Amino acid sequence: MPSLSDETNATLETLLPGGTIGIVGGGQLGRMMALSARYAGYRVGVLDPTDNCPAAQVADFQVVADYGDEAAIADLAARSDVLTYEFENVDAAALDAVRGAGVAGGEPGTVAIPQGTDLLRVTQNRIREKTFVNDHGIATAPWRAVNSRADVDAALAEIGYPAVLKTAEGGYDGHGQVVLRSADDLAKVWPDESFPPSILEGFVDFAFEASVLVAGNGRDYVTFPIVENIHRHNILHLTLAPANVDNNVHDAARQLALTLAEGFRLAGTLAIELFVMPDGTLIVNELAPRPHNSGHYTIEACDFDQFDLHVRGICGLPLAEPKLLSPAVMVNVLGQHVDGVRAALAGHPDWHAHDYGKAVAKHDRKMGHVTVLTDDPEATAAGLEATGIWSDLS
């Protein structure tokens, strides 16, 4: 079975508490990653262009610079024992420039990057990502690489309508995509002179969207349960944990996650976004080489959360299979929901409210989340919707 050639924590010394973890990216994922690291006794540095960004507010130091600034990455590396990243739009070449062989065994000025950069390059590009998934015997929606209008026409002849045209790199929460439902929509396709490398992907008639998280230390791998995700306007709205599926689907999600983790020789947390088909089969939609929005419920609902296992994984520590202590519902708090959530907190003592510390609340910007532990996720999700706070997303 194919696997990446990149080195991972399988070749690294263990980094014990007292060491320093450098995080490239200072948003909410970096913030929660830093909190887990701090609780475990590590020092934390952050590189982000925004001074006092969410992660820097809970870190030991910040390097204020763009993510692709090689001198700034070298500065962060010189002050860290390992580097990690909180999102995939990081310059892999800049990381390679400072990358050493191990926590204490690299050349001066180098640092361990346990996740490696092969993982980053695969997940930065939809063509490489889907090829990697398919090469490991795992299904995706039908897709073709396209580089021109003629390529789109040829791909549509094979895949048919409806389909979605996606840039191979970049794009998130629906950006960089064109939905094609009929020939009338072809007018939206980028002209050949500015056509970016892309894929055409066929629609699949799925029952619901889901995800599964897997964490590794380069040698051993553990999984969280499959969860159901509900999106609104191409942004994750609610996560119900665990998904209401039979044991065969849970087992299939776990095995799929372990197969990909082994293929990547994963260090840290990997999120796998899925489509659950009406017959219970699973199709991989996208991968995220880091903790994920749909895993925020694990902070309260599991004995080890996704950030704990990410930190332990990149530091080469052994991993325990995480236990779901309670079913849960997680709902995102976007900019337009902040005032409503704050006003409602006094009447909802069961809400675990998280504020990401962002300076400006913008429409559709993720500002925080709320998790509720429950014996009935579907009823709890309905109760959250009934507050009216999220009525703009209905």
Side-chain angles (χ1 to χ4, degrees):
M1 184 171 291
S3 62
L4 298 184
S5 60
D6 228 340
E7 294 180 11
T8 68
N9 247 15
T11 62
L12 297 179
E13 298 177 15
T14 299
L15 180 65
L16 295 174
T20 300
I21 298 171
I23 303 173
V24 180
Q28 64 265 23
L29 296 177
R31 179 188 183 93
M32 289 179 272
M33 200 183 293
L35 287 169
S36 284
R38 291 290 295 273
Y39 279 131
Y42 293 94
R43 298 186 74 253
V44 176
V46 174
L47 186 151
D48 193 274
T50 302
D51 189 27
N52 199 39
C53 61
Q57 294 166 19
V58 299
D60 293 281
F61 65 90
Q62 179 182 5
V63 177
V64 180
D66 290 335
Y67 306 120
D69 186 326
E70 292 191 12
I73 291 176
D75 183 17
L76 181 67
R79 301 167 68 180
S80 305
D81 295 298
V82 299
L83 290 188
T84 186
Y85 37 83
E86 67 136 14
F87 67 110
E88 46 270 44
N89 293 325
V90 180
D91 188 337
L95 293 181
D96 280 335
V98 299
R99 183 176 170 199
V103 171
E107 295 297 323
T110 64
V111 67
I113 305 178
Q115 292 158 279
T117 51
D118 280 356
L119 170 64
L120 195 58
R121 288 185 170 90
V122 167
T123 54
Q124 284 176 338
N125 183 285
R126 289 186 171 94
I127 296 170
R128 290 195 290 265
E129 180 178 274
K130 291 185 182 297
T131 300
F132 185 89
V133 172
N134 293 157
D135 284 350
H136 283 78
I138 296 170
T140 60
W143 66 278
R144 298 291 184 273
V146 294
N147 293 289
S148 67
R149 170 62 187 274
D151 286 349
V152 172
D153 291 340
L156 283 169
E158 294 185 55
I159 293 173
Y161 294 101
V164 58
L165 181 64
K166 302 179 180 179
T167 56
E169 296 187 358
Y172 66 95
D173 290 345
H175 299 285
Q177 300 185 12
V178 177
V179 176
L180 304 175
R181 298 187 182 279
S182 71
D184 293 340
D185 292 324
L186 291 173
K188 304 175 187 176
V189 173
W190 309 294
D192 279 0
E193 59 267 22
S194 59
F195 199 109
S198 303
I199 66 167
L200 185 85
E201 184 176 272
F203 275 34
V204 292
D205 188 18
F206 56 85
F208 61 90
E209 294 180 76
S211 59
V212 62
L213 300 172
V214 57
N217 58 14
R219 304 175 299 276
D220 304 308
Y221 312 101
V222 298
T223 62
F224 291 89
I226 184 174
V227 299
E228 179 177 353
N229 296 322
I230 298 170
H231 290 78
R232 296 286 185 266
H233 307 161
N234 295 309
I235 301 173
L236 180 62
H237 172 45
L238 283 163
T239 293
L240 286 70
N244 185 19
V245 294
D246 63 33
N247 288 338
N248 289 335
V249 178
H250 278 284
D251 292 344
R254 172 176 166 76
Q255 187 53 57
L256 175 156
L258 292 175
T259 296
L260 291 176
E262 290 166 0
F264 283 122
R265 293 199 300 239
L266 179 69
T269 295
L270 172 74
I272 305 164
E273 297 182 51
L274 304 166
F275 296 131
V276 179
M277 304 302 288
D279 64 358
T281 58
L282 300 175
I283 290 177
V284 169
N285 181 28
E286 291 185 345
L287 307 179
R290 49 162 173 80
H292 191 259
N293 193 173
S294 67
H296 292 347
Y297 78 93
T298 63
I299 296 172
E300 284 83 24
C302 296
D303 59 342
F304 289 96
D305 68 45
Q306 64 167 339
F307 302 99
D308 297 333
L309 294 189
H310 182 81
V311 169
R312 291 183 66 87
I314 64 171
C315 291
L317 294 170
L319 305 179
E321 195 74 32
K323 296 176 183 176
L324 182 67
L325 304 177
S326 170
V329 175
M330 188 283 302
V331 59
N332 272 324
V333 179
L334 305 181
Q336 62 267 36
H337 308 137
V338 170
D339 289 344
V341 168
R342 289 177 179 174
L345 284 177
H348 294 278
D350 57 330
W351 286 9
H352 296 266
H354 295 252
D355 188 304
Y356 299 152
K358 295 181 179 180
V360 180
K362 298 179 181 179
H363 189 87
D364 283 353
R365 187 185 195 193
K366 294 172 184 174
M367 300 298 295
H369 70 270
V370 171
T371 299
V372 185
L373 304 183
T374 176
D375 292 328
D376 191 339
E378 292 185 358
T380 297
L384 287 164
E385 301 286 20
T387 64
I389 295 170
W390 293 274
S391 59
D392 66 299
L393 302 180
S394 59

